[in-house]
Every structure is written in structure tokens, then in C-alpha cells.
mmCIF file of all heavy atoms in Angstrom:
data_model
loop_
_atom_site.group_PDB
_atom_site.id
_atom_site.type_symbol
_atom_site.label_atom_id
_atom_site.label_comp_id
_atom_site.label_asym_id
_atom_site.label_seq_id
_atom_site.Cartn_x
_atom_site.Cartn_y
_atom_site.Cartn_z
ATOM 1 N N GLN A 1 0.855 -1.204 0.015
ATOM 2 C CA GLN A 1 0.027 -0.001 0.016
ATOM 3 C C GLN A 1 0.845 1.269 0.023
ATOM 4 O O GLN A 1 1.902 1.315 0.677
ATOM 5 C CB GLN A 1 -0.915 -0.044 1.205
ATOM 6 C CG GLN A 1 -2.109 0.966 1.086
ATOM 7 C CD GLN A 1 -3.125 0.722 2.111
ATOM 8 O OE1 GLN A 1 -2.880 0.273 3.207
ATOM 9 N NE2 GLN A 1 -4.385 1.170 1.820
ATOM 10 N N GLN A 2 0.443 2.258 -0.679
ATOM 11 C CA GLN A 2 1.318 3.438 -0.997
ATOM 12 C C GLN A 2 1.947 4.048 0.253
ATOM 13 O O GLN A 2 3.149 4.336 0.157
ATOM 14 C CB GLN A 2 0.426 4.457 -1.788
ATOM 15 C CG GLN A 2 1.288 5.579 -2.391
ATOM 16 C CD GLN A 2 1.606 6.693 -1.396
ATOM 17 O OE1 GLN A 2 0.770 6.985 -0.533
ATOM 18 N NE2 GLN A 2 2.810 7.304 -1.579
ATOM 19 N N PRO A 3 1.225 4.297 1.327
ATOM 20 C CA PRO A 3 1.941 4.941 2.474
ATOM 21 C C PRO A 3 3.090 4.175 3.038
ATOM 22 O O PRO A 3 4.013 4.750 3.614
ATOM 23 C CB PRO A 3 0.767 5.072 3.536
ATOM 24 C CG PRO A 3 -0.483 5.061 2.722
ATOM 25 C CD PRO A 3 -0.212 4.152 1.595
ATOM 26 N N ALA A 4 3.108 2.881 2.831
ATOM 27 C CA ALA A 4 4.181 2.019 3.398
ATOM 28 C C ALA A 4 5.254 1.651 2.379
ATOM 29 O O ALA A 4 6.233 0.962 2.689
ATOM 30 C CB ALA A 4 3.607 0.801 4.069
ATOM 31 N N TYR A 5 4.998 2.051 1.077
ATOM 32 C CA TYR A 5 5.797 1.467 -0.027
ATOM 33 C C TYR A 5 7.286 1.788 0.162
ATOM 34 O O TYR A 5 8.132 0.827 0.106
ATOM 35 C CB TYR A 5 5.329 2.047 -1.356
ATOM 36 C CG TYR A 5 6.030 1.458 -2.541
ATOM 37 C CD1 TYR A 5 5.653 0.282 -3.160
ATOM 38 C CD2 TYR A 5 7.128 2.171 -3.057
ATOM 39 C CE1 TYR A 5 6.362 -0.213 -4.213
ATOM 40 C CE2 TYR A 5 7.844 1.648 -4.160
ATOM 41 C CZ TYR A 5 7.464 0.432 -4.737
ATOM 42 O OH TYR A 5 8.117 -0.066 -5.785
ATOM 43 N N ALA A 6 7.650 3.005 0.310
ATOM 44 C CA ALA A 6 9.079 3.362 0.293
ATOM 45 C C ALA A 6 9.838 2.706 1.472
ATOM 46 O O ALA A 6 10.935 2.171 1.313
ATOM 47 C CB ALA A 6 9.226 4.872 0.386
ATOM 48 N N ALA A 7 9.185 2.750 2.651
ATOM 49 C CA ALA A 7 9.808 2.133 3.788
ATOM 50 C C ALA A 7 9.977 0.624 3.605
ATOM 51 O O ALA A 7 11.033 0.004 3.991
ATOM 52 C CB ALA A 7 9.092 2.385 5.101
ATOM 53 N N PHE A 8 8.967 0.005 3.093
ATOM 54 C CA PHE A 8 9.048 -1.492 2.878
ATOM 55 C C PHE A 8 10.096 -1.791 1.811
ATOM 56 O O PHE A 8 10.881 -2.703 1.993
ATOM 57 C CB PHE A 8 7.670 -1.969 2.385
ATOM 58 C CG PHE A 8 7.652 -3.515 2.074
ATOM 59 C CD1 PHE A 8 7.318 -4.403 3.098
ATOM 60 C CD2 PHE A 8 8.042 -3.987 0.879
ATOM 61 C CE1 PHE A 8 7.339 -5.739 2.878
ATOM 62 C CE2 PHE A 8 8.039 -5.406 0.647
ATOM 63 C CZ PHE A 8 7.735 -6.290 1.616
ATOM 64 N N ARG A 9 10.150 -1.042 0.719
ATOM 65 C CA ARG A 9 11.085 -1.256 -0.313
ATOM 66 C C ARG A 9 12.584 -1.199 0.219
ATOM 67 O O ARG A 9 13.350 -2.054 -0.070
ATOM 68 C CB ARG A 9 10.941 -0.234 -1.417
ATOM 69 C CG ARG A 9 12.081 -0.381 -2.637
ATOM 70 C CD ARG A 9 12.000 0.846 -3.389
ATOM 71 N NE ARG A 9 12.316 2.052 -2.529
ATOM 72 C CZ ARG A 9 11.967 3.313 -2.871
ATOM 73 N NH1 ARG A 9 11.261 3.563 -3.946
ATOM 74 N NH2 ARG A 9 12.322 4.280 -2.092
ATOM 75 N N ASP A 10 12.843 -0.176 0.977
ATOM 76 C CA ASP A 10 14.191 0.057 1.426
ATOM 77 C C ASP A 10 14.538 -1.068 2.408
ATOM 78 O O ASP A 10 15.691 -1.631 2.388
ATOM 79 C CB ASP A 10 14.319 1.420 2.163
ATOM 80 C CG ASP A 10 14.126 2.522 1.138
ATOM 81 O OD1 ASP A 10 14.152 2.311 -0.088
ATOM 82 O OD2 ASP A 10 13.905 3.699 1.559
ATOM 83 N N ALA A 11 13.666 -1.455 3.350
ATOM 84 C CA ALA A 11 13.966 -2.519 4.334
ATOM 85 C C ALA A 11 14.065 -3.841 3.692
ATOM 86 O O ALA A 11 14.980 -4.657 4.039
ATOM 87 C CB ALA A 11 12.923 -2.515 5.406
ATOM 88 N N PHE A 12 13.205 -4.074 2.689
ATOM 89 C CA PHE A 12 13.214 -5.378 1.996
ATOM 90 C C PHE A 12 14.543 -5.471 1.158
ATOM 91 O O PHE A 12 15.238 -6.577 1.210
ATOM 92 C CB PHE A 12 12.021 -5.440 1.081
ATOM 93 C CG PHE A 12 11.701 -6.796 0.485
ATOM 94 C CD1 PHE A 12 12.187 -7.974 1.056
ATOM 95 C CD2 PHE A 12 10.958 -6.898 -0.661
ATOM 96 C CE1 PHE A 12 11.854 -9.239 0.482
ATOM 97 C CE2 PHE A 12 10.619 -8.120 -1.217
ATOM 98 C CZ PHE A 12 11.062 -9.276 -0.612
ATOM 99 N N ALA A 13 14.949 -4.479 0.469
ATOM 100 C CA ALA A 13 16.143 -4.506 -0.314
ATOM 101 C C ALA A 13 17.364 -4.699 0.554
ATOM 102 O O ALA A 13 18.227 -5.571 0.245
ATOM 103 C CB ALA A 13 16.306 -3.175 -1.090
ATOM 104 N N ALA A 14 17.407 -4.054 1.704
ATOM 105 C CA ALA A 14 18.567 -4.266 2.685
ATOM 106 C C ALA A 14 18.594 -5.680 3.132
ATOM 107 O O ALA A 14 19.683 -6.282 3.241
ATOM 108 C CB ALA A 14 18.427 -3.272 3.798
ATOM 109 N N ALA A 15 17.464 -6.214 3.463
ATOM 110 C CA ALA A 15 17.436 -7.585 4.041
ATOM 111 C C ALA A 15 17.794 -8.618 2.959
ATOM 112 O O ALA A 15 18.591 -9.584 3.180
ATOM 113 C CB ALA A 15 16.033 -7.893 4.551
ATOM 114 N N LEU A 16 17.285 -8.430 1.672
ATOM 115 C CA LEU A 16 17.749 -9.317 0.618
ATOM 116 C C LEU A 16 19.195 -9.190 0.341
ATOM 117 O O LEU A 16 19.914 -10.254 0.166
ATOM 118 C CB LEU A 16 16.978 -8.958 -0.685
ATOM 119 C CG LEU A 16 15.491 -9.341 -0.670
ATOM 120 C CD1 LEU A 16 14.808 -8.774 -1.956
ATOM 121 C CD2 LEU A 16 15.211 -10.789 -0.563
ATOM 122 N N GLY A 17 19.754 -8.042 0.310
ATOM 123 C CA GLY A 17 21.210 -7.818 0.034
ATOM 124 C C GLY A 17 22.072 -8.389 1.108
ATOM 125 O O GLY A 17 23.208 -8.681 0.890
ATOM 126 N N ALA A 18 21.519 -8.525 2.358
ATOM 127 C CA ALA A 18 22.316 -9.081 3.474
ATOM 128 C C ALA A 18 22.287 -10.541 3.569
ATOM 129 O O ALA A 18 23.084 -11.172 4.376
ATOM 130 C CB ALA A 18 21.791 -8.492 4.749
ATOM 131 N N LEU A 19 21.531 -11.289 2.757
ATOM 132 C CA LEU A 19 21.482 -12.741 2.805
ATOM 133 C C LEU A 19 22.838 -13.348 2.430
ATOM 134 O O LEU A 19 23.455 -12.857 1.472
ATOM 135 C CB LEU A 19 20.433 -13.268 1.923
ATOM 136 C CG LEU A 19 18.950 -12.984 2.367
ATOM 137 C CD1 LEU A 19 17.986 -13.453 1.330
ATOM 138 C CD2 LEU A 19 18.670 -13.692 3.699
ATOM 139 N N ARG A 20 23.219 -14.379 3.119
ATOM 140 C CA ARG A 20 24.495 -15.042 2.827
ATOM 141 C C ARG A 20 24.313 -16.131 1.793
ATOM 142 O O ARG A 20 23.558 -17.050 1.977
ATOM 143 C CB ARG A 20 25.050 -15.670 4.097
ATOM 144 C CG ARG A 20 26.374 -16.416 3.841
ATOM 145 C CD ARG A 20 26.924 -16.958 5.186
ATOM 146 N NE ARG A 20 28.126 -17.820 4.865
ATOM 147 C CZ ARG A 20 29.299 -17.673 5.450
ATOM 148 N NH1 ARG A 20 29.404 -16.753 6.480
ATOM 149 N NH2 ARG A 20 30.280 -18.459 5.219
ATOM 150 N N MET A 21 24.964 -15.926 0.614
ATOM 151 C CA MET A 21 24.929 -16.839 -0.417
ATOM 152 C C MET A 21 26.204 -17.656 -0.432
ATOM 153 O O MET A 21 27.300 -17.165 -0.372
ATOM 154 C CB MET A 21 24.810 -16.121 -1.781
ATOM 155 C CG MET A 21 24.487 -16.988 -2.989
ATOM 156 S SD MET A 21 23.947 -16.122 -4.444
ATOM 157 C CE MET A 21 25.372 -15.150 -4.863
ATOM 158 N N GLY A 22 26.027 -19.002 -0.451
ATOM 159 C CA GLY A 22 27.206 -19.859 -0.420
ATOM 160 C C GLY A 22 26.919 -21.293 -0.605
ATOM 161 O O GLY A 22 25.769 -21.705 -0.991
ATOM 162 N N SER A 23 27.822 -22.163 -0.283
ATOM 163 C CA SER A 23 27.723 -23.625 -0.431
ATOM 164 C C SER A 23 26.515 -24.110 0.405
ATOM 165 O O SER A 23 26.344 -23.716 1.552
ATOM 166 C CB SER A 23 28.900 -24.334 0.073
ATOM 167 O OG SER A 23 28.678 -25.741 0.209
ATOM 168 N N PRO A 24 25.664 -24.890 -0.263
ATOM 169 C CA PRO A 24 24.495 -25.436 0.513
ATOM 170 C C PRO A 24 24.886 -26.329 1.774
ATOM 171 O O PRO A 24 24.018 -26.573 2.577
ATOM 172 C CB PRO A 24 23.711 -26.191 -0.558
ATOM 173 C CG PRO A 24 24.667 -26.515 -1.652
ATOM 174 C CD PRO A 24 25.655 -25.356 -1.585
ATOM 175 N N LEU A 25 26.131 -26.833 1.708
ATOM 176 C CA LEU A 25 26.583 -27.652 2.754
ATOM 177 C C LEU A 25 27.151 -26.860 4.007
ATOM 178 O O LEU A 25 27.426 -27.381 5.038
ATOM 179 C CB LEU A 25 27.703 -28.583 2.317
ATOM 180 C CG LEU A 25 27.249 -29.614 1.259
ATOM 181 C CD1 LEU A 25 28.450 -30.391 0.747
ATOM 182 C CD2 LEU A 25 26.232 -30.550 1.808
ATOM 183 N N ASP A 26 27.188 -25.561 3.815
ATOM 184 C CA ASP A 26 27.661 -24.612 4.919
ATOM 185 C C ASP A 26 26.476 -24.278 5.729
ATOM 186 O O ASP A 26 25.488 -23.714 5.215
ATOM 187 C CB ASP A 26 28.366 -23.389 4.367
ATOM 188 C CG ASP A 26 28.872 -22.426 5.361
ATOM 189 O OD1 ASP A 26 28.533 -22.622 6.575
ATOM 190 O OD2 ASP A 26 29.653 -21.570 5.024
ATOM 191 N N PRO A 27 26.509 -24.571 7.033
ATOM 192 C CA PRO A 27 25.316 -24.307 7.843
ATOM 193 C C PRO A 27 24.909 -22.797 7.875
ATOM 194 O O PRO A 27 23.769 -22.447 8.188
ATOM 195 C CB PRO A 27 25.687 -24.770 9.246
ATOM 196 C CG PRO A 27 26.755 -25.755 8.990
ATOM 197 C CD PRO A 27 27.538 -25.312 7.826
ATOM 198 N N ALA A 28 25.842 -21.914 7.595
ATOM 199 C CA ALA A 28 25.589 -20.504 7.630
ATOM 200 C C ALA A 28 24.952 -19.999 6.330
ATOM 201 O O ALA A 28 24.412 -18.811 6.257
ATOM 202 C CB ALA A 28 26.857 -19.681 7.816
ATOM 203 N N THR A 29 24.900 -20.790 5.313
ATOM 204 C CA THR A 29 24.303 -20.421 4.003
ATOM 205 C C THR A 29 22.842 -20.240 4.130
ATOM 206 O O THR A 29 22.123 -21.061 4.660
ATOM 207 C CB THR A 29 24.641 -21.384 2.908
ATOM 208 O OG1 THR A 29 26.041 -21.360 2.676
ATOM 209 C CG2 THR A 29 23.941 -21.151 1.691
ATOM 210 N N GLN A 30 22.331 -19.068 3.565
ATOM 211 C CA GLN A 30 20.891 -18.833 3.519
ATOM 212 C C GLN A 30 20.366 -19.038 2.140
ATOM 213 O O GLN A 30 19.198 -19.331 1.906
ATOM 214 C CB GLN A 30 20.628 -17.393 4.018
ATOM 215 C CG GLN A 30 20.943 -17.196 5.488
ATOM 216 C CD GLN A 30 20.961 -15.757 5.887
ATOM 217 O OE1 GLN A 30 21.745 -14.954 5.433
ATOM 218 N NE2 GLN A 30 20.029 -15.362 6.793
ATOM 219 N N VAL A 31 21.109 -18.720 1.156
ATOM 220 C CA VAL A 31 20.731 -18.873 -0.290
ATOM 221 C C VAL A 31 21.813 -19.712 -0.980
ATOM 222 O O VAL A 31 22.981 -19.209 -1.041
ATOM 223 C CB VAL A 31 20.524 -17.555 -0.957
ATOM 224 C CG1 VAL A 31 20.155 -17.730 -2.431
ATOM 225 C CG2 VAL A 31 19.449 -16.744 -0.271
ATOM 226 N N GLY A 32 21.503 -20.836 -1.573
ATOM 227 C CA GLY A 32 22.399 -21.607 -2.296
ATOM 228 C C GLY A 32 22.348 -21.291 -3.813
ATOM 229 O O GLY A 32 21.640 -20.339 -4.212
ATOM 230 N N PRO A 33 23.009 -22.123 -4.660
ATOM 231 C CA PRO A 33 22.870 -21.886 -6.045
ATOM 232 C C PRO A 33 21.452 -22.361 -6.546
ATOM 233 O O PRO A 33 20.778 -23.003 -5.814
ATOM 234 C CB PRO A 33 23.937 -22.841 -6.602
ATOM 235 C CG PRO A 33 24.024 -23.922 -5.624
ATOM 236 C CD PRO A 33 23.812 -23.221 -4.245
ATOM 237 N N LEU A 34 21.075 -21.922 -7.737
ATOM 238 C CA LEU A 34 19.933 -22.534 -8.377
ATOM 239 C C LEU A 34 20.277 -23.943 -8.774
ATOM 240 O O LEU A 34 21.445 -24.420 -8.720
ATOM 241 C CB LEU A 34 19.528 -21.724 -9.560
ATOM 242 C CG LEU A 34 19.059 -20.309 -9.300
ATOM 243 C CD1 LEU A 34 18.269 -19.680 -10.463
ATOM 244 C CD2 LEU A 34 18.255 -20.108 -8.035
ATOM 245 N N ALA A 35 19.237 -24.730 -9.151
ATOM 246 C CA ALA A 35 19.471 -26.182 -9.332
ATOM 247 C C ALA A 35 20.291 -26.480 -10.560
ATOM 248 O O ALA A 35 21.062 -27.432 -10.550
ATOM 249 C CB ALA A 35 18.131 -26.799 -9.463
ATOM 250 N N ARG A 36 20.219 -25.694 -11.580
ATOM 251 C CA ARG A 36 20.976 -25.960 -12.842
ATOM 252 C C ARG A 36 21.327 -24.635 -13.499
ATOM 253 O O ARG A 36 20.624 -23.610 -13.308
ATOM 254 C CB ARG A 36 20.088 -26.766 -13.832
ATOM 255 C CG ARG A 36 19.651 -28.124 -13.340
ATOM 256 C CD ARG A 36 19.092 -28.990 -14.468
ATOM 257 N NE ARG A 36 18.194 -28.376 -15.352
ATOM 258 C CZ ARG A 36 16.867 -28.411 -15.300
ATOM 259 N NH1 ARG A 36 16.272 -29.103 -14.321
ATOM 260 N NH2 ARG A 36 16.134 -27.778 -16.165
ATOM 261 N N VAL A 37 22.427 -24.681 -14.261
ATOM 262 C CA VAL A 37 22.844 -23.512 -14.952
ATOM 263 C C VAL A 37 21.836 -22.945 -15.931
ATOM 264 O O VAL A 37 21.614 -21.762 -16.080
ATOM 265 C CB VAL A 37 24.218 -23.749 -15.631
ATOM 266 C CG1 VAL A 37 24.625 -22.552 -16.541
ATOM 267 C CG2 VAL A 37 25.298 -23.916 -14.607
ATOM 268 N N ASP A 38 21.185 -23.876 -16.699
ATOM 269 C CA ASP A 38 20.135 -23.460 -17.663
ATOM 270 C C ASP A 38 19.016 -22.741 -17.024
ATOM 271 O O ASP A 38 18.443 -21.793 -17.523
ATOM 272 C CB ASP A 38 19.688 -24.628 -18.512
ATOM 273 C CG ASP A 38 18.945 -25.668 -17.705
ATOM 274 O OD1 ASP A 38 19.526 -26.135 -16.714
ATOM 275 O OD2 ASP A 38 17.820 -26.053 -18.048
ATOM 276 N N LEU A 39 18.602 -23.164 -15.776
ATOM 277 C CA LEU A 39 17.576 -22.523 -15.058
ATOM 278 C C LEU A 39 18.035 -21.130 -14.653
ATOM 279 O O LEU A 39 17.223 -20.146 -14.672
ATOM 280 C CB LEU A 39 17.210 -23.311 -13.872
ATOM 281 C CG LEU A 39 16.567 -24.699 -14.197
ATOM 282 C CD1 LEU A 39 16.408 -25.544 -12.879
ATOM 283 C CD2 LEU A 39 15.263 -24.655 -14.889
ATOM 284 N N ARG A 40 19.230 -21.053 -14.122
ATOM 285 C CA ARG A 40 19.767 -19.741 -13.817
ATOM 286 C C ARG A 40 19.861 -18.762 -14.961
ATOM 287 O O ARG A 40 19.453 -17.585 -14.857
ATOM 288 C CB ARG A 40 21.184 -19.950 -13.211
ATOM 289 C CG ARG A 40 21.852 -18.647 -12.587
ATOM 290 C CD ARG A 40 22.517 -17.706 -13.583
ATOM 291 N NE ARG A 40 23.443 -18.363 -14.474
ATOM 292 C CZ ARG A 40 24.716 -18.607 -14.193
ATOM 293 N NH1 ARG A 40 25.188 -18.305 -13.074
ATOM 294 N NH2 ARG A 40 25.475 -19.269 -15.089
ATOM 295 N N ASP A 41 20.317 -19.316 -16.088
ATOM 296 C CA ASP A 41 20.330 -18.414 -17.331
ATOM 297 C C ASP A 41 19.001 -17.954 -17.762
ATOM 298 O O ASP A 41 18.830 -16.814 -18.220
ATOM 299 C CB ASP A 41 21.110 -19.189 -18.432
ATOM 300 C CG ASP A 41 22.546 -19.440 -18.139
ATOM 301 O OD1 ASP A 41 23.043 -18.803 -17.261
ATOM 302 O OD2 ASP A 41 23.120 -20.240 -18.840
ATOM 303 N N HIS A 42 17.971 -18.825 -17.594
ATOM 304 C CA HIS A 42 16.591 -18.389 -18.019
ATOM 305 C C HIS A 42 16.097 -17.278 -17.056
ATOM 306 O O HIS A 42 15.550 -16.270 -17.522
ATOM 307 C CB HIS A 42 15.705 -19.584 -17.946
ATOM 308 C CG HIS A 42 14.260 -19.271 -18.240
ATOM 309 N ND1 HIS A 42 13.823 -18.806 -19.462
ATOM 310 C CD2 HIS A 42 13.163 -19.248 -17.432
ATOM 311 C CE1 HIS A 42 12.513 -18.640 -19.435
ATOM 312 N NE2 HIS A 42 12.132 -18.838 -18.177
ATOM 313 N N LEU A 43 16.398 -17.431 -15.740
ATOM 314 C CA LEU A 43 15.946 -16.421 -14.840
ATOM 315 C C LEU A 43 16.688 -15.078 -15.102
ATOM 316 O O LEU A 43 16.058 -14.025 -15.138
ATOM 317 C CB LEU A 43 16.248 -16.866 -13.377
ATOM 318 C CG LEU A 43 15.887 -15.913 -12.253
ATOM 319 C CD1 LEU A 43 14.412 -15.694 -12.180
ATOM 320 C CD2 LEU A 43 16.439 -16.419 -10.943
ATOM 321 N N ALA A 44 17.991 -15.150 -15.396
ATOM 322 C CA ALA A 44 18.778 -13.980 -15.640
ATOM 323 C C ALA A 44 18.198 -13.266 -16.871
ATOM 324 O O ALA A 44 18.153 -12.001 -16.998
ATOM 325 C CB ALA A 44 20.212 -14.279 -15.826
ATOM 326 N N ALA A 45 17.823 -14.072 -17.870
ATOM 327 C CA ALA A 45 17.317 -13.499 -19.163
ATOM 328 C C ALA A 45 15.930 -12.748 -18.856
ATOM 329 O O ALA A 45 15.667 -11.681 -19.451
ATOM 330 C CB ALA A 45 17.140 -14.549 -20.180
#
């Protein structure tokens, strides 16, 4: 909703950017790789 949009966007962007991306076998990892390179390439496109 418009009155909350800017605050939500900024907080959401900061939280997404702070996620730890790494090996799925590392207990500290929050975001691993996608399942296949072709799926990643399709998403990037």
C-alpha cells in the first residue's frame, strides 16, 4: 500500500542484500545456487 511502499522497499532491499549466499553444505548459508545453470540463465534473461 502506497503509504508504506518506500519504507518497505528500502527495508526489503537491505534484508535481501544481506542474505548469505554460499555452499548449501555450509550451515551459515541462507541462499544456495539454483538447481541448474540453464535454469539460472533463464531467470537472468
Side-chain angles (χ1 to χ4, degrees):
Q1 196 169 27
Q2 193 278 326
Y5 181 87
F8 180 91
R9 177 196 60 206
D10 295 346
F12 192 22
L16 290 173
L19 290 174
R20 179 178 174 130
M21 190 166 65
S23 167
L25 295 175
D26 183 345
T29 291
Q30 295 168 294
V31 178
L34 299 195
R36 302 194 311 264
V37 170
D38 64 307
L39 298 172
R40 188 278 309 277
D41 291 346
H42 177 66
L43 179 66

